[in-house]
Amino acid sequence: MASALRDSSNLYTDLFSTTETPKFPPLPVARHQHFGALTGKVADIRDHALRNAEIKARRQVQFWNLVQTGLAYMFLLSSVQTALSVGTLLLANVNDGLFQGTSTLGYSVLGVTYCVLAVAFWLAQPVVSTLGPVNSMIISAVCFIIFLLVFIRPIFWLLFIAAVVAGFGAAILSTAGGVFMALNSDSETIGRNTGIFFGLYETSLIWGNIGFFVILRGSNSISTEQRYWIVGFLLVLGSFGTILVLLLKRKQAQVVIEESEFAHAIDRGFLDSIKASALLCLNPNVIMLLPLIIFLGLSSAFRNDIYNTAIGYTLEINSLSLVGLAGVMLGLGELTGSAICAGINTKMPHMSRGKMVVGGVIASCLGYFFIYLNMPNEAVLGPTHAVGVINPPSKFLAVFCSFLMGIGDAAVNTQIYAILAELFGHDIVPPVGLFQSIYVSHPAALIICLYVCLSVFRLTA
């Protein structure tokens, strides 16, 4: 018994030790393993929490970068898109000793702008890669301001030089915007971000056309004073957009870009950028997207430029201000379509993008069908008293068709950019540039063909 007591006491203190140090028995092996596993789990939880916090902070910065850039695009494109959209009507009403406008001169300006766009997109990629998206946007803003200034005092040769400048600026802006959006997104937020970004900048169609509608309310022609007011209003919008780009926090944006999984996409030289885009023409995924991109390009020229001019030249409608209202409804349609796509991507992230594309195409085709019924064919030539199937033309249907086309364009555009980001997100610059080049080459071809047909019609009439 004494021996047992002595053995028991040794579990706690070695009486023969000079230091009287407590002596504990070793833990069972199973307890060691449990303690190690528990420590590893705690470390994993801590690392996971830190990683989530870092991702959340980065996404917050990315979100506000996109919002500020989207607002800048909204004001910049509000000025230049409105000028291009109503430019044919503006120039047709300028007749003085220095400039004699015609009903189709605006189509020539549009043709030059779109042709330069189609070529400049191949040059815009190395510019964005070299200067970065923020500096590229500043250059674009300056180009737009130059283009707007020409409408204050139109001069024939200067007008076409400004059209070249605007085309180059638009190419840089579109490429820089697509790159900046991708760099401020990741695989989980790209769908939401495309909806938010395009929703903001597509509302650009609203603000400039509101000014056009208010200034020309009740007018059947555009006086010199009204032209000054319209151009001045567009210059104010363009200046707001320029200021927002200049105020973009460069250091903060640069940190996000460097940490982005797509960061190396903008690090490419001039020849390498062109070569990379050219090689994409052989990519099966790009080939499959070609019909959709061509459809978007042709639709863009029609809804933004030709249709608005046709409304202004339809004398049975007898309201130039309705052109501005149709532009506003087009912008609201773009905003509605983007909001729907963003909501679907948020609530149903696994929904097929093909379904949204089909829905957008159907909405656009409905708009084209109603336009065919409502508008006279002669309206693209100049002022006419002709009518379409519906007599007299319906003002409500005229603006509602713009709304339908806006929904369709937003639905397809957002999904195209999301698809490109998913397929080529690791190298986003070449596909964005190629998409935009194909996109605008068909509006250029459409405008040129329309202008040639109008010239032949006048010669044979």
Side-chain angles (χ1 to χ4, degrees):
M1 181 174 179
S3 175
L5 182 62
R6 186 168 57 251
D7 292 339
S8 175
S9 65
N10 285 339
L11 291 174
Y12 300 95
T13 305
D14 187 353
L15 298 178
F16 300 99
S17 173
T18 56
T19 58
E20 299 272 331
T21 303
K23 185 177 180 180
F24 298 97
L27 292 173
V29 176
R31 292 187 179 181
H32 274 299
Q33 292 177 345
H34 178 72
F35 182 75
L38 182 62
T39 304
K41 289 182 179 180
V42 171
D44 289 342
I45 293 173
R46 184 181 67 249
D47 293 341
H48 183 70
L50 291 174
R51 188 162 54 251
N52 285 342
E54 181 182 350
I55 292 173
K56 183 178 180 181
R58 186 181 70 249
R59 286 180 176 175
Q60 185 176 11
V61 174
Q62 290 174 334
F63 175 78
W64 289 113
N65 278 343
L66 284 172
V67 169
Q68 184 173 342
T69 308
L71 290 172
Y73 269 52
M74 181 183 73
F75 287 119
L76 285 172
L77 293 177
S78 183
S79 61
V80 73
Q81 283 189 344
T82 304
L84 289 171
S85 179
V86 304
T88 303
L89 297 174
L90 286 175
L91 296 175
N93 285 271
V94 180
N95 289 283
D96 53 33
L98 296 176
F99 188 86
Q100 296 293 323
T102 66
S103 61
T104 57
L105 180 60
Y107 293 142
S108 303
V109 176
L110 286 171
V112 171
T113 303
Y114 281 125
C115 285
V116 173
L117 260 172
V119 175
F121 271 121
W122 294 89
L123 304 176
Q125 302 166 50
V127 170
V128 174
S129 298
T130 303
L131 300 180
V134 178
N135 291 330
S136 300
M137 285 187 273
I138 295 174
I139 294 175
S140 302
V142 174
C143 291
F144 290 165
I145 297 297
I146 293 173
F147 176 71
L148 293 172
L149 289 173
V150 176
F151 282 90
I152 296 178
R153 172 63 274 171
I155 299 175
F156 187 81
W157 61 270
L158 192 58
L159 191 64
F160 286 94
I161 293 177
V164 172
V165 172
F168 181 73
I172 295 177
L173 187 69
S174 297
T175 304
V179 171
F180 194 72
M181 180 186 64
L183 292 175
N184 280 272
S185 305
D186 52 46
S187 56
E188 294 183 12
T189 61
I190 186 66
R192 181 205 66 182
N193 289 348
T194 50
I196 294 173
F197 183 81
F198 282 104
L200 282 172
Y201 102 78
E202 286 295 356
T203 58
S204 59
L205 295 167
I206 297 176
W207 314 114
N209 282 290
I210 284 178
F212 188 85
F213 172 77
V214 172
I215 294 170
L216 293 183
R217 189 180 180 95
S219 300
N220 296 320
S221 62
I222 304 174
S223 66
T224 302
E225 182 180 359
Q226 288 174 323
R227 187 178 78 250
Y228 290 161
W229 276 104
I230 292 170
V231 177
F233 179 71
L234 297 181
L235 281 170
V236 170
L237 293 178
S239 300
F240 283 160
T242 305
I243 291 171
L244 283 173
V245 174
L246 291 172
L247 292 178
L248 192 65
K249 296 179 180 179
R250 293 171 176 271
K251 292 183 178 180
Q252 190 181 62
Q254 186 62 34
V255 168
V256 171
I257 288 174
E258 290 173 353
E259 294 179 353
S260 172
E261 57 189 286
F262 309 139
H264 68 284
I266 65 171
D267 187 19
R268 181 182 279 108
F270 176 79
L271 294 178
D272 290 338
S273 295
I274 295 179
K275 181 180 178 181
S277 293
L279 290 175
L280 282 175
C281 295
L282 304 176
N283 188 293
N285 292 318
V286 174
I287 294 174
M288 291 180 66
L289 290 174
L290 273 179
L292 190 60
I293 297 173
I294 292 172
F295 170 79
L296 281 175
L298 295 174
S299 301
S300 173
F302 179 78
R303 70 173 177 273
N304 290 337
D305 308 311
I306 298 174
Y307 182 56
N308 283 346
T309 302
I311 292 176
Y313 284 159
T314 303
L315 298 179
E316 292 299 317
I317 290 179
N318 195 31
S319 177
L320 277 178
S321 62
L322 193 67
V323 175
L325 187 58
V328 171
M329 292 304 295
L330 178 61
L332 290 175
E334 298 275 4
L335 180 60
T336 302
S338 296
I340 291 173
C341 291
I344 291 175
N345 276 293
T346 301
K347 300 296 183 180
M348 295 179 288
H350 300 295
M351 180 178 178
S352 170
R353 300 196 185 281
K355 295 180 181 178
M356 286 185 274
V357 170
V358 171
V361 172
I362 291 174
S364 296
C365 290
L366 281 175
Y368 302 145
F369 176 72
F370 290 137
I371 289 171
Y372 170 77
L373 297 177
N374 194 45
M375 303 299 295
N377 297 331
E378 297 83 355
V380 297
L381 303 174
T384 179
H385 287 281
V387 294
V389 177
I390 299 176
N391 186 14
S394 169
K395 293 182 179 181
F396 170 79
L397 191 57
V399 297
F400 181 68
C401 289
S402 292
F403 182 75
L404 285 176
M405 289 188 291
I407 290 178
D409 176 66
V412 179
N413 246 318
T414 53
Q415 300 314 304
I416 285 287
Y417 272 101
I419 290 171
L420 290 177
E422 289 176 354
L423 293 176
F424 309 103
H426 60 284
D427 197 6
I428 193 64
V429 178
V432 168
L434 179 63
F435 162 67
Q436 293 290 355
S437 181
I438 298 172
Y439 178 86
V440 300
S441 63
H442 290 84
L446 179 61
I447 294 295
I448 292 172
C449 289
L450 177 62
Y451 181 73
V452 171
C453 291
L454 292 176
S455 300
V456 172
F457 176 81
R458 285 195 173 86
L459 290 175
T460 57

